[in-house]
Amino acid sequence: METILQHAQGLVYALLHLMPSPYQHASLSSLLGLFLEAQGHPVPQGCQTKSASALSRFLNHSEWSTRSVLRTTRHQVLQQMRVHLPGSGSPLKVLIDLTTLEKCGKFRHLGDPTE
């Protein structure tokens, strides 16, 4: 049975494989290294392997497929959920991070309940 480390490594390698250029591959690798370091350094200024401007360019201007990254991550998470389904009586807790969604305008379902 694979460990959580092996699953995490598989996801990281799959995401790195999605990067269209060696420069983007290196930038993602540097960002992931910062996240794994967890030293509280401000991103991207705390990176020792890439400049802050290179990481900013990667995050804000590079042509890499956000959909592919989300699709690959979703596939890996669902695969892990299938492997580690809780037994009967055990609740399954799922956290959905919506921080990538644009937050502008009004969400019509949060309006006046009488509408």
Side-chain angles (χ1 to χ4, degrees):
M1 185 164 193
E2 288 185 285
T3 66
I4 189 72
L5 177 61
Q6 291 165 324
H7 293 296
Q9 285 174 335
L11 175 58
V12 166
Y13 293 139
L15 294 176
L16 288 172
H17 181 70
L18 293 173
M19 295 299 110
S21 76
Y23 302 108
Q24 292 169 347
H25 184 279
S27 293
L28 179 60
S29 183
S30 295
L31 281 173
L32 292 173
L34 280 174
F35 296 147
L36 292 174
E37 218 173 57
Q39 297 296 317
H41 301 299
V43 174
Q45 290 80 2
C47 186
Q48 301 297 315
T49 56
K50 285 282 190 177
S51 70
S53 62
L55 294 179
S56 177
R57 224 177 4 264
F58 170 74
L59 292 171
N60 297 309
H61 302 290
S62 291
E63 295 294 324
W64 48 275
S65 173
T66 305
R67 280 182 198 237
S68 295
V69 169
L70 292 173
R71 190 176 298 121
T72 300
T73 304
R74 184 184 309 121
H75 173 75
Q76 291 278 347
V77 168
L78 290 174
Q79 184 179 6
Q80 286 306 300
M81 287 174 61
R82 282 187 213 102
V83 170
H84 301 288
L85 285 174
S88 62
S90 298
L92 176 64
K93 297 179 182 178
V94 178
L95 174 67
I96 300 173
D97 182 4
L98 300 176
T99 56
T100 58
L101 298 179
E102 186 177 2
K103 292 161 182 73
C104 63
K106 292 187 177 184
F107 184 61
R108 66 182 179 96
H109 298 292
L110 294 178
D112 186 4
T114 59
E115 290 178 357

